[in-house]
Amino acid sequence: MCADTATVQLKAKDFGSDQDVRWCPGCGDYAILSQVKKVLSTLGVSRENTVFVSGIGCSSRFPYYMNTYGFHSIHGRAPAVATGVKVANPELDVWVVTGDGDALSIGGNHFLHAIRRNLNINILLFNNRIYGLTKGQYSPTSPFGKRTKSSPFGSVDYPLYPLSVAIGAEATFVARTIDVNVKHLAYVLERAARHKGISFVEIYQNCNIFNDGSFLYATGKDTKNDTTLYLEDNKPLVFGGDTKKGIRLNGMNPEIVELGGDVTEDDLLFHDEKLAEPSLAYLLSRMHHPEFPEPMGVFRCVERPTYEGMLVQQIDDAKKSDADASLERLFNGGDTWDVK
Amino acid sequence: MVVSTQTKNAGQRQVKVVGLESTIVRFCGDSGDGMQLAGTQLTNTSAIFGNDVSTLPDFPSEIRAPVGTLAGVSGFQLAFGSKKLRTPGDQVDVLVAMNPAALKTNIEDLNADGTLIVNEDAFTGGNLAKAGYENNPLETGELDKYHVFRIPIDKLNTEACKDSGLTGRTVGRCKNFFALGVVYWLYGRPMEPTLDWISAKFGTKPAVAEANTKTLKAGYYYGETTEIFTVQYTVAPAKIEAGRYRKLTGNEAMALGLIAAAKLANKSLFYGTYPITPASDILHELARHKNYDVRTFQAEDEIAAMASVVGAAFAGAFAATGTSGPGLALKSEAIGLGIMTELPMVIINVQRGGPSTGLPTKTEQADLGQAIWGRNGEAPMCVLAPQSPGDCFDIAIEAFRIAVDYMTPVMVLSDGYLANGAEPWKIPDVSSLPKLTATHPQAGNDFHPYQRDAKLARPWAIPGTTGLQHRIGGLEKSDIIGDVCYDPKNHEHMIRTRREKIDKIAESIPPLEVFGETTGELLLLGWGGTYGAITAAVENAQAKGLSVSSAHLRHLDPMPKNTGEVLSRFKKVLIPELNMGQLLMLIRAHFLVDAIGFNKIQGKPFMICEIENKIEEILGNKPR
């Protein structure tokens, strides 16, 4: 172990541990690991004040590869472990690394409640739409009808969509990015890290062993311009390759329109991350391939007091209004009587 | 036991005044009738008066079961005396029954010549039918063996509160204080503590305060002036150790112990929990004391509560959780994580009747097996059990001492009887409390997460410490270095080391003490909340000349080092437990002792006489 000194600007590689990375060759997780390290060095945070907490699954090996404090906990419980870490020491930068099964299946409850409490932690959900570590069963984000080892005739489970769930749980920061677009990945991670409050990031991540090509529509050179839409705050929702297209609101529903002729950018739906009301973010989270391009970027970013901030505030207020915190005082509370 | 008899003038008449060594009173009525409050008031008053007290609240799990039904009966029993009281008593001397259902469910526990005070107004056709009485028991003669006092409590309460301006419903809620007033007169108790409580509680509602005051006094004067009462009782103050006292329930004592432990180590207390009967009052008590840097976290479920405790322990807090049996079942996975990561934490299990949802408000000791074995893999757990409500304070400190010294989760097995029961607690001198120290390593060349000290404890290196970044988790770790490791020999070494570490705790705990002769015919071995009943029964049997002693385990894993040796000095060993014989099985397995089980699984504590009878059955009532 080497000691950090505050004056040294850490490089991305300084955030790597001495452990061999054991994800399958070609796994999307490598790109995410590399961008997380890069972003941490950009942010100028220290290794000793950073904690990575994970659950179980391929993604949850993540903490071992970071030279920070790390906790590889149990299946689905990472948000709860992270809550304990953050409440015990709010000064720490806490990251949760989870997957679609870990966060939304076995850990669904903890995922919801960590989000609604608005702890200042970052949750990165590596969504590969499959159970990888257990070798290829369908996950809660696998498409309906998905044929896997545990669903040879096609899955009859309807999927759920992580961003919709997070928005429903009152998340204050919600974003989506994709493993192969490393620049965008870094941008979103940095935004997430800088947000004060819960930051939820869904990362489309290719499992090249059990679900290869699941996001090919969003990454292929020929298709990505028509299947993804990169969000920019206060800008119209535009996308498209050769033909420039946009999203327009028709009543309560989004529709794809081609720009040019009668339709100008002013007719389109404009993005606004900071709307207090989450309906726009939710609407965006419901745009799925192939009917719509899938939005990438920051869906929602609003301010709200954090859980641990308010908890500590209550303690500070109590200490101020009731300064005598001696054990004598505690023990002598209530009705006492003396026996001579 | 009667200790004196005199007469005195009460109003226009003479009453006999009987001095008692101790007495047992039970209030029972609908769960909305305020019986817990009446009982608590008599408890506080008697404690302040100087008696020893011991209480047993007994309430249904339904908050408000249908009025007048058997399911909705709530009771509060207390014993107070001029001698040391080890339990709230077996049979009741005075029973206050506010309706027929309360009478029906409680009358069996009244002594044959006991005093029965009934709210006559509630013995109407509808209420009698709901309680399953075909005929009014007040008229059939079936209660003739008791001293029955029929008091129209509803009418007299309404009369006392008639000028209050309160609604009939609010006035009706005061009737428990009329009954309390009658009992205060019966025992010559001062009303001041309750009058003080009323003015503090209802300070902002003067009409309610006045109504309660009036009806309490009306009850008292009813006893004083009505000619139906010809006997009044007195119970002199107890000769108890000098000092300042307060009344504490087991749950309150546990909360104070947790705060004290953290404070003694100069740490903040993190309490992550999910509400569950009968453990929630620990959370309620802790949540009040934020100025002691108490961080309570009401999690979304039991699993999250436990996982948050593991996280908080990792981050350096004194972390604890509280739950009951079904919650402990949910927590077992994260407890396993705590054991694997060897972090200090305290898990309090306030046991209740099981299995499954079982009997949420009733007591049982059936989670010992779950505490010791209830996890996957070889997952050794240090298990402690308090033996009285006040001992919950000491055991909480002891639990944190072990957790931090040995870097391990520690489980505390309280139970519903201890948690809700109350006794006078002698306020300790802070300087007399154990010294707790938590040390965190600083950066050095030789830090390894699983390097152990002489106690086999690993270092508690916490996030925020420069240079000590490391990763832990639920996967098996290599010895010393702490990397993920699948090596077969390393796994066995780590399994054996984790067990050995728990065994080593025995070096730091006091030996098992014997109450009575250190050798003899029969030893009663107990654990947890049965201490009072076992000790009182043994005391009685010893007074009869029987060769019987007792010992009580506060540490169940590991047990005190001399446990086997103590057992070997008695011809027979009897193990009374509120389960099917869980300690019995452990004792047989560890020591090859042919111990005898004595088991009760009724959701109720042992009565002293039950244990006494069992002792006599074994020893044949043969004095030495």
Side-chain angles (χ1 to χ4, degrees), chain A residues 19-58:
Chain A
Q19 300 291 300
D20 295 332
V21 182
R22 291 191 188 171
W23 287 312
C24 306
C27 177
D29 289 357
Y30 284 92
I32 306 172
L33 176 63
S34 146
Q35 291 311 309
V36 168
K37 288 193 276 194
K38 193 181 139 211
V39 166
L40 291 182
S41 69
T42 311
L43 291 167
V45 298
S46 73
R47 293 180 289 202
E48 65 268 23
N49 281 331
T50 305
V51 183
F52 278 85
V53 183
S54 64
I56 293 293
C58 293

Side-chain angles (χ1 to χ4, degrees), chain A residues 170-189:
Chain A
E170 307 294 333
T172 54
F173 180 96
V174 177
R176 180 193 283 145
T177 183
I178 190 159
D179 53 5
V180 295
N181 189 345
V182 292
K183 267 178 113 169
H184 189 259
L185 177 58
Y187 162 75
V188 167
L189 290 173

Side-chain angles (χ1 to χ4, degrees), chain B residues 217-462:
Chain B
K217 289 183 174 172
Y220 190 93
Y221 296 133
Y222 181 84
E224 174 99 359
T225 55
T226 316
E227 303 211 338
I228 63 169
F229 286 102
T230 56
V231 183
Q232 193 179 23
Y233 301 97
T234 60
V235 180
K239 289 173 199 66
I240 40 184
E241 202 184 337
R244 176 163 289 182
Y245 285 78
R246 71 185 279 196
K247 187 203 68 171
L248 278 186
T249 65
N251 275 344
E252 289 165 345
M254 193 74 80
L256 294 193
L258 294 173
I259 297 173
K263 182 98 182 161
L264 288 166
N266 216 4
K267 279 287 192 175
S268 59
L269 176 69
F270 176 88
Y271 190 74
T273 191
Y274 185 76
I276 185 169
T277 303
S280 304
D281 282 340
I282 302 175
L283 169 64
H284 303 161
E285 182 66 22
L286 289 173
R288 296 173 51 220
H289 298 293
K290 292 209 186 301
N291 57 328
Y292 287 84
D293 201 8
V294 175
R295 296 164 190 228
T296 55
F297 170 56
Q298 183 176 311
E300 58 272 21
D301 59 28
E302 296 279 359
I303 298 169
M306 192 63 233
S308 73
V309 165
V310 175
F314 179 58
F318 264 38
T321 187
T323 188
S324 189
L328 185 65
L330 285 165
K331 284 178 152 70
S332 54
E333 182 200 29
I335 294 173
L337 180 66
I339 290 172
M340 198 62 158
T341 52
E342 300 188 47
L343 288 165
M345 62 197 73
V346 172
I347 302 132
I348 296 155
N349 175 16
V350 185
Q351 300 165 95
R352 67 190 215 189
S356 187
T357 314
L359 306 172
T361 58
K362 311 295 179 193
T363 198
E364 208 158 273
Q365 291 185 299
D367 295 348
L368 179 58
Q370 186 177 209
I372 290 186
W373 288 304
R375 291 158 297 281
N376 62 307
E378 294 286 352
M381 170 67 77
C382 176
V383 180
L384 314 180
Q387 60 188 29
S388 65
D391 191 36
C392 292
F393 173 82
D394 297 304
I395 214 89
I397 296 176
E398 171 71 347
F400 262 124
R401 178 193 71 81
I402 293 172
V404 172
D405 277 3
Y406 290 85
M407 287 292 283
T408 182
V410 175
M411 192 174 298
V412 173
L413 291 179
S414 179
D415 61 47
Y417 169 76
L418 294 178
N420 291 317
E423 64 179 2
W425 179 64
K426 185 168 180 288
I427 296 171
D429 182 354
V430 172
S431 64
S432 72
L433 297 175
K435 305 282 172 280
L436 266 64
T437 42
T439 48
H440 304 295
Q442 295 303 310
N445 296 324
D446 57 350
F447 170 76
H448 297 294
Y450 279 77
Q451 178 115 51
R452 296 168 192 281
D453 66 11
K455 296 191 295 288
L456 299 180
R458 72 178 196 87
W460 191 8
I462 58 173

Side-chain angles (χ1 to χ4, degrees), chain A residues 63-275:
Chain A
Y64 292 122
Y65 309 135
M66 298 294 295
N67 186 10
T68 63
Y69 285 89
F71 207 131
H72 179 205
S73 76
I74 41 180
H75 208 3
R77 321 300 174 210
V81 173
T83 300
V85 171
K86 189 70 181 175
V87 170
N89 185 356
E91 303 300 311
L92 299 171
D93 295 327
V94 181
W95 297 72
V96 168
V97 178
T98 184
D100 36 318
D102 194 55
L104 298 170
S105 197
I106 194 166
N109 201 29
H110 315 308
F111 178 76
L112 289 181
H113 292 277
I115 288 176
R116 86 173 155 87
R117 289 191 188 100
N118 198 37
L119 290 131
N120 185 17
I121 62 179
N122 311 305
I123 301 179
L124 309 182
L125 189 157
F126 299 7
N127 185 7
N128 57 16
R129 297 180 177 166
I130 199 79
Y131 283 139
L133 196 67
T134 51
K135 301 188 175 171
Q137 301 83 5
Y138 61 95
S139 91
T141 58
S142 295
F144 181 83
K146 177 83 176 170
R147 287 176 191 270
T148 70
K149 276 184 190 160
S150 59
S151 57
F153 302 101
S155 160
V156 292
D157 273 28
Y158 297 111
L160 50 70
Y161 300 96
L163 294 178
S164 301
V165 175
I167 293 163
E170 307 294 333
T172 54
F173 180 96
V174 177
R176 180 193 283 145
T177 183
I178 190 159
D179 53 5
V180 295
N181 189 345
V182 292
K183 267 178 113 169
H184 189 259
L185 177 58
Y187 162 75
V188 167
L189 290 173
E190 187 175 336
R191 287 284 312 270
R194 291 191 189 283
H195 174 68
K196 196 167 181 303
I198 198 82
S199 304
F200 173 68
V201 181
E202 178 189 23
I203 305 172
Y204 281 175
Q205 174 249 322
N206 189 40
C207 173
N208 56 324
I209 305 297
F210 295 109
N211 201 17
D212 196 21
S214 183
F215 301 104
L216 205 56
Y217 63 90
T219 56
K221 260 190 196 151
D222 302 337
T223 52
K224 64 179 181 186
N225 289 336
D226 289 320
T227 58
T228 55
L229 184 160
Y230 282 80
L231 297 170
E232 286 183 77
D233 200 19
N234 301 315
K235 298 273 175 63
L237 301 180
V238 292
F239 68 105
D242 301 335
T243 320
K244 219 172 172 202
K245 288 174 278 191
I247 301 294
R248 186 172 67 182
L249 211 51
N250 181 2
M252 297 284 280
N253 301 310
E255 63 180 5
I256 297 171
V257 288
E258 283 187 17
L259 287 170
D262 290 351
V263 183
T264 69
E265 288 196 348
D266 285 345
D267 297 321
L268 300 180
L269 188 55
F270 274 62
H271 185 41
D272 187 346
E273 298 169 355
K274 296 196 174 50
L275 288 175

Side-chain angles (χ1 to χ4, degrees), chain B residues 570-623:
Chain B
F570 292 84
K571 288 189 186 152
K572 287 180 176 166
V573 175
L574 175 68
I575 302 183
E577 291 180 89
L578 301 175
N579 61 38
M580 292 279 280
Q582 300 185 8
L583 178 64
L584 179 74
M585 190 159 66
L586 282 177
I587 291 294
R588 283 169 166 255
H590 280 308
F591 305 108
L592 288 174
V593 169
D594 190 13
I596 308 159
F598 181 47
N599 308 99
K600 177 175 176 180
I601 322 105
Q602 300 169 9
K604 289 182 158 195
F606 278 117
M607 292 201 283
I608 297 167
C609 62
E610 290 170 335
I611 298 175
E612 225 176 307
N613 291 343
K614 186 71 185 176
I615 293 171
E616 290 181 12
E617 183 193 312
I618 291 171
L619 294 180
N621 195 13
K622 288 188 304 252

